[in-house]
Amino acid sequence: MTPAKPAVIPSAAPQATDSPAGRQPVAREIRRPTRTKVIATIGPASESPETVSRLIEAGVNIFRFNFSHGTFEEHGARLAIVRKAAEALGRPVACLGDLSGPKIRVTQVPGDGFTVKAGEDVVIRRGVADAFEEQHGEVKRLVIGCTYEPMIDEVEPGQRLLVNDGAIRMLAVERSANELVCRVTVGGLITSKKGINLPETEMSVDAMTAHDWRCVEWAVGRGMDMLALSFVRRPEDILELKRRLAELCSIDRSSSDEQGSEIPIVAKVEKPQAVARIDEIVAVADAIMIARGDLGVEMDIAEVPVVQKRIARACHEWGKPCIVATQMLETMIDNASPTRAEATDVANAIYDGADAVMLSGETAVGRHPTLVVETMRRICAETEADLVARSRPLEAPARLADSRYPTAALAHGASYVARDINARLLVCWSENGGTARYLANFDAGRPIIACSSSARATRRMLLLAGVTPVHMPVPEDGMLATWNRAIDAMMLELGWAEAGDAVLLLAGKPLGVTKVTNSLAIHYVGDPGSGYLGSEVSQSEHPAR
């Protein structure tokens, strides 16, 4: 059988057409995709078909759709553009829908807003649609409304309130049935729709708003690959969404691939309450996003780097993908190069063990979307080269090592075998992505090629560090030897390996079925007597066995 041509693996980053005039492109050839995946937020600056194609070629693996902004019509148009570009380029590209969550905001403030000063009082009152000033004794004080009025009952005197990402800080001093009186400690300008953060308050607000539920149904109906849940505070928030997805998503493996299975949930950690219960949250989530924007507002900014490392360690321990997000290359929204601190921030996220790094405003509204992706990819490549040079010892995820899952145990052993034989690559058949995830967790410091007949699973595996997913059909005869020959042809064609290179293969029988990976074979590229080809030769020579 002639194997189907696999998805093209990028061999070089493109030249940035949005580069400043006269400047040479910063990209240089990178033979293989970086181990760390790049997530880019699609928005007005990056939604054209030409820009989407350039971003994919520059190294974007996953596009983030921010449901806090835009209409379903706009999201649908962007989704169609991404899918058309990915198909034209022959590359898997995933789409992540980011749910807004229960963000508390100030209601309308007339004109250009009101400036409040330290020592003044601000009243948050029920039923106020438009802010106004009222006379209170000998002074005037500002009265505002908010989008979540139960907070008036839930904020205790002495607790902090932060407005506009912490630019304005207040302390609750008095509470009555209909209003909360707050004393300004750091003043500033209060305008319409600014966010309110309550870092010390236990709120009863649901993790999902009515708008979020509409977004979930829209995302499922259009076959989006992942969903990010904002403002997670407890594991129950994730479980509630999982129950709804179980109802909405098909789990019939014989159904259309675009029906797929339940959509993976990325839990966004941006509340102190989530940090306090991080192990419980990581245990039930499919992946974690360290959303440092709100996290940096609600916690002491000095704690954020330490918390980032703590969350990354928890993800590794549980074998869950970790995304580091927010302000990674923020100055490139306007500038053609990042600060040294930003470049170091991206590198440190990779040293911490991040599977993916994310761009937000840099690609959504920035002036140089392609250039910023190229820059991030270069930083990833340099950092990963240093990690390889250090030859760090294997450190198995503790929870997976103790799980006794057969596939996890096989992947654990494969990581040691790969190093012992100096394997060039690890190649697995991973129909639903499980084997690929275990191999990524037990990092052997080698690239992982993960094959699947499911286009949906192929896209979802793009979140796994070090994994290059390949969408290919199950061999007609279902034989591991036939797949082995297809892998040989693919590696030689794409220059990933040369004749004689050692490659470690993992698969199970029958191919194309989930949860059957149970074998490991050492293969030497081009050698018909090794790998799964060896068992075929043995059977032909000894048919009675």
Side-chain angles (χ1 to χ4, degrees):
M1 155 182 176
T2 302
K5 187 174 181 179
V8 177
I9 298 176
S11 59
Q15 297 186 354
T17 58
D18 53 0
S19 305
R23 188 190 65 79
Q24 292 297 317
V26 298
R28 61 178 180 154
E29 182 171 328
I30 303 174
R31 282 181 58 95
R32 294 173 180 165
T34 53
R35 176 186 182 278
T36 309
K37 302 307 174 67
V38 176
I39 302 174
T41 302
I42 191 167
S46 53
E47 64 185 358
S48 72
E50 297 78 15
T51 302
V52 168
S53 294
R54 289 199 300 268
L55 290 175
I56 295 172
E57 291 180 315
V60 172
N61 305 106
I62 300 170
F63 280 96
R64 169 180 173 252
F65 291 70
N66 187 356
F67 289 141
S68 295
H69 305 285
T71 64
F72 287 142
E73 184 179 1
E74 291 169 333
H75 294 314
R78 290 169 179 166
L79 183 61
I81 289 170
V82 169
R83 287 178 169 165
K84 185 175 181 180
E87 183 179 5
L89 293 169
R91 304 187 187 188
V93 176
C95 294
L96 166 68
D98 195 339
L99 303 170
S100 307
K103 183 74 172 179
I104 304 173
R105 297 186 184 277
V106 175
T107 52
Q108 289 299 123
V109 179
D112 296 329
F114 289 96
T115 298
V116 296
K117 299 178 181 178
E120 295 180 347
D121 285 349
V122 173
V123 179
I124 301 174
R125 185 175 293 165
R126 296 184 197 273
V128 174
D130 296 287
F132 61 92
E133 285 186 313
E134 69 174 12
Q135 194 70 33
H136 183 71
E138 297 181 356
V139 299
K140 286 186 176 182
R141 63 183 186 181
L142 179 64
V143 180
I144 61 175
C146 69
T147 56
Y148 177 65
E149 292 187 342
M151 67 169 275
I152 294 171
D153 303 315
E154 296 170 356
V155 176
E156 300 286 346
Q159 293 181 338
R160 292 179 297 144
L161 295 87
L162 311 175
V163 181
N164 192 16
D165 290 337
I168 300 165
R169 295 172 179 261
M170 303 187 295
L171 197 68
V173 293
E174 184 182 339
R175 185 179 70 185
S176 63
N178 290 311
E179 65 183 35
L180 184 70
V181 181
C182 305
R183 184 77 35 84
V184 178
T185 57
V186 178
L189 180 66
I190 296 181
T191 57
S192 300
K193 303 300 181 182
K194 292 301 180 184
I196 300 175
N197 291 83
L198 307 171
E200 297 163 347
T201 303
E202 286 289 341
M203 295 186 299
S204 61
V205 61
D206 291 335
M208 298 281 293
T209 66
H211 174 68
D212 290 329
W213 289 119
R214 290 192 294 271
C215 290
V216 168
E217 293 185 6
W218 185 90
V220 170
R222 275 121 190 113
M224 294 197 84
D225 302 296
M226 311 165 196
L227 284 173
L229 179 59
S230 297
F231 300 109
V232 171
R233 288 163 290 156
R234 49 189 176 255
E236 291 79 10
D237 297 337
I238 302 162
L239 295 173
E240 180 185 13
L241 178 54
K242 284 195 170 188
R243 283 191 290 270
R244 180 59 177 147
L245 287 172
E247 298 171 0
L248 292 172
C249 299
S250 167
I251 57 173
D252 179 5
R253 302 300 179 194
S254 65
S255 66
S256 162
D257 183 67
E258 288 308 306
Q259 291 289 318
S261 57
E262 295 172 23
I263 298 178
I265 298 173
V266 179
K268 295 172 66 176
V269 179
E270 47 197 333
K271 301 281 290 181
Q273 295 90 339
V275 175
R277 302 183 67 178
I278 191 61
D279 281 316
E280 299 172 75
I281 288 170
V282 175
V284 298
D286 298 295
I288 296 292
M289 182 188 296
I290 307 174
R292 302 177 302 178
D294 279 277
L295 194 61
V297 171
E298 299 217 358
M299 301 186 71
D300 183 345
I301 195 68
E303 296 180 60
V304 174
V306 178
V307 168
Q308 175 174 312
K309 294 180 185 298
R310 177 185 165 193
I311 297 171
R313 284 195 300 270
C315 290
H316 175 73
E317 183 173 321
W318 284 92
K320 302 292 179 71
C322 173
I323 304 165
V324 176
T326 317
Q327 296 181 331
M328 303 217 76
L329 298 177
E330 182 85 356
T331 58
M332 289 193 75
I333 289 177
D334 297 308
N335 301 331
S337 62
T339 65
R340 278 70 173 168
E342 287 171 335
T344 303
D345 182 38
V346 174
N348 279 333
I350 297 169
Y351 285 125
D352 287 345
D355 290 80
V357 285
M358 194 176 92
L359 297 164
S360 299
E362 299 96 327
T363 53
V365 297
R367 296 173 60 190
H368 315 290
T370 308
L371 180 59
V372 72
V373 172
E374 291 177 346
T375 302
M376 179 165 273
R377 186 179 178 189
R378 289 173 57 228
I379 297 168
C380 292
E382 291 292 340
T383 307
E384 291 162 9
D386 180 60
L387 285 172
V388 171
R390 293 186 185 198
S391 188
R392 58 211 161 109
L394 292 169
E395 183 182 348
R399 304 281 183 169
L400 278 184
D402 295 338
S403 68
R404 298 191 179 183
Y405 295 148
T407 305
L410 193 67
H412 192 190
S415 63
Y416 283 94
V417 174
R419 291 203 171 193
D420 289 345
I421 66 171
N422 194 26
R424 185 74 175 267
L425 300 166
L426 287 84
V427 185
C428 67
W429 189 280
S430 187
E431 185 63 20
N432 208 32
T435 301
R437 181 168 73 88
Y438 291 135
L439 286 175
N441 292 330
F442 297 106
D443 181 17
R446 270 79 174 156
I448 300 164
I449 309 297
C451 305
S452 174
S453 66
S454 165
R456 171 71 62 84
T458 302
R459 295 193 298 268
R460 289 176 177 170
M461 285 189 278
L462 287 165
L463 189 54
L464 304 175
V467 174
T468 297
V470 174
H471 183 215
M472 63 191 307
V474 177
E476 292 179 2
D477 59 8
M479 298 294 292
L480 296 180
T482 306
W483 173 63
N484 196 152
R485 279 190 288 271
I487 292 301
D488 252 18
M490 178 186 73
M491 290 187 293
L492 292 171
E493 177 186 352
L494 297 174
W496 275 66
E498 299 176 355
D501 283 343
V503 175
L504 201 60
L505 306 177
L506 288 87
K509 293 182 181 179
L511 282 175
V513 176
T514 62
K515 300 180 180 180
V516 297
T517 301
N518 60 2
S519 67
L520 181 156
I522 299 173
H523 175 61
Y524 295 94
V525 178
D527 180 1
S530 66
Y532 294 119
L533 298 174
S535 61
E536 183 181 59
V537 170
S538 175
Q539 290 174 9
S540 64
E541 291 177 350
H542 305 281
R545 289 185 180 178

